[in-house]
């Protein structure tokens, strides 16, 4: 392996190429003179392939693409993607505001294959700080060849996303061949069917859990499995899409939220879960229709829905002719009653958790962390560092605790990218919208 520093100092280096850093990259293409590059260890762009159901729709409107809410005239807009694929008139006639998820994924892959400065197959193994020049030094490794080089940058934007989270009772079964996260669903479900699995339990009542449950129901006639759906929440509740509630995902509310005390912010995040953790009403309707068909068929295996039911323990168990199964212990939230059930497979639709990237380990002590070990982040999405560090460190979708429910929303991606690029370039390349809500969130 060779290791040497490249000659060009980047104004901005993006670590990870998910939807948000892809949005940043699309907007960066519109900033004259900006030296920019983005890196991802994957060989190409891919967005939640394990949940890419043909029938699933994006939960936000198509204007929440990579650029349109900030720069609708960009060549990287979804509408331009339609033009290049000769689908503008069919799209116009279809009157779709919420597009198929697979179309959004294809749009992002189309952009990722064309936007300048994107480097797939390149891992960022470490980030160090050059005190003399006040620069970040990124150790880059070519995944295919192992070649290593060092890339200096004045600013970094982290967009590595979150990682699949299993609930505590399932932690000891991590790696069990029949205990998977919902993000693996489409990669593993045929394996379950081929193995003759006859009982599957889904945990979690967010959008992913609902889609996995619906998919299992639709496969039930062919597979012959019983399906159980458990959630610790009071019910299988919908996302709140009412217009004034949606204003809580706007930049205006985000600015208000950031100014609150940390304890208040944590309390609000817990209470506002229906902004980002519920099920869209269309999916709920599809599930109910499938359950009604189940009732009409009369000969399908059982389906069980258990709200207000928390998983408290899980272990493998021997059950005779079926071999090893998984024994789940649950507690009812209202009655406290405990129950034990056995199942042959568990799909945990239990969400994703923030992760601290390993590449930051060399500079860990230069970063300001809050009392809970999370990034301390400014309103402009810059991570606070010790005073002697002038080089900028920004984050995308790692600021739920500081910016609220809008942080993971695709509709905020272009806005956040514009803020970062304006700060990095030192000029207002992108006009920042100020009037984004009718409500006044703080004291008048």
């Amino acid at each position: 392996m060779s290791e040497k520093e490249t000659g060009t100092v980047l104004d901005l280096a993006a670590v990870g190429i998910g939807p948000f850093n892809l949005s940043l990259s699309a907007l960066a293409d519109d900033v004259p003179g900006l030296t920019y590059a983005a890196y991802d260890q994957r060989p190409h762009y891919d967005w939640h392939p394990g949940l890419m159901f043909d029938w699933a729709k994006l939960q936000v409107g198509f204007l929440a693409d990579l650029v349109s809410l900030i720069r609708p005239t960009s060549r990287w807009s979804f509408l331009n993607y339609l033009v290049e694929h000769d689908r503008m008139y069919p799209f116009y006639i279809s009157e779709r505001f919420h597009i198929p998820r697979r179309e959004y994924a294809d749009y992002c892959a189309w952009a990722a294959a064309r936007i300048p400065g994107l480097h797939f197959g390149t891992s960022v193994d470490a980030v160090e700080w050059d005190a003399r020049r006040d620069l970040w030094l990124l150790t880059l490794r070519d995944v295919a060849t192992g070649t290593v080089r060092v890339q200096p940058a004045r600013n970094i934007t982290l967009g590595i996303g979150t990682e699949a989270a299993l609930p505590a009772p399932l932690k000891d079964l991590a790696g069990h061949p029949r205990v998977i996260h919902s993000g693996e669903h489409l990669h593993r479900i045929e394996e379950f069917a081929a193995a003759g699995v006859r009982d599957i339990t889904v945990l979690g009542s967010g959008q992913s859990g609902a889609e996995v449950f619906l998919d299992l129901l639709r496969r039930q006639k062919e597979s012959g499995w019983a399906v159980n759906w458990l959630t610790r929440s009071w019910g299988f509740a919908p996302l709140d899409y009412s217009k004034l509630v949606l204003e809580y995902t706007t930049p205006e509310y985000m600015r208000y939220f950031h100014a609150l005390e940390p304890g208040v912010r944590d309390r609000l995040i817990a209470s506002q879960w229906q902004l980002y953790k519920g099920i869209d009403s269309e999916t709920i309707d599809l599930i109910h229709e499938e359950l009604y068909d189940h009732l009409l068929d009369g000969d399908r295996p059982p389906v069980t829905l258990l709200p207000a039911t928390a998983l408290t323990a899980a272990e493998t168990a021997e059950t005779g002719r079926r071999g090893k199964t998984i024994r789940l212990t649950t507690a009812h939230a209202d009655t406290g009653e405990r129950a034990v059930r056995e199942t042959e497979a568990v799909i945990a639709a239990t969400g994703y958790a923030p992760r601290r990237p390993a590449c930051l380990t060399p500079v860990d002590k230069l970063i300001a962390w809050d009392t809970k070990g999370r990034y301390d982040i400014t309103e402009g999405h810059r991570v606070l560092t010790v005073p002697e560090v002038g080089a900028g460190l920004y984050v995308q979708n790692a600021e739920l605790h500081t910016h609220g429910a809008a942080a993971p929303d695709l509709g905020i991606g272009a806005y956040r990218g514009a803020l970062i690029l304006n700060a990095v370039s030192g000029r207002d390349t992108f006009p920042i919208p100020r009037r984004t809500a009718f409500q006044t969130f703080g004291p008048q």
Side-chain angles (χ1 to χ4, degrees), residues 297-370:
D297 293 340
D299 59 350
R300 287 207 224 174
V303 172
T304 307
L305 283 77
L306 295 173
T309 302
L311 179 68
T312 60
E315 60 184 351
T316 56
E318 296 285 352
T319 58
R321 66 181 182 86
R322 287 191 178 184
K324 286 189 176 182
T325 62
I326 301 160
R327 180 177 295 146
L328 305 177
T329 303
T330 61
H332 195 276
D334 301 331
T335 67
E337 183 178 348
R338 292 186 174 270
V340 176
R341 64 173 53 245
E342 291 187 0
T343 188
E344 294 180 41
V346 175
I347 302 176
T350 44
Y352 295 82
R355 56 179 167 177
R356 187 180 294 189
C359 65
L360 289 186
T361 300
V363 296
D364 189 81
K365 293 182 179 179
L366 301 178
I367 295 172
W369 307 98
D370 71 8

Side-chain angles (χ1 to χ4, degrees), residues 226-244:
V227 185
N228 317 292
W229 191 13
L230 281 62
T231 178
R232 64 181 179 179
S233 300
W234 62 267
F236 301 96
L239 283 167
D240 194 335
Y241 276 153
S242 55
K243 302 304 181 188
L244 292 179

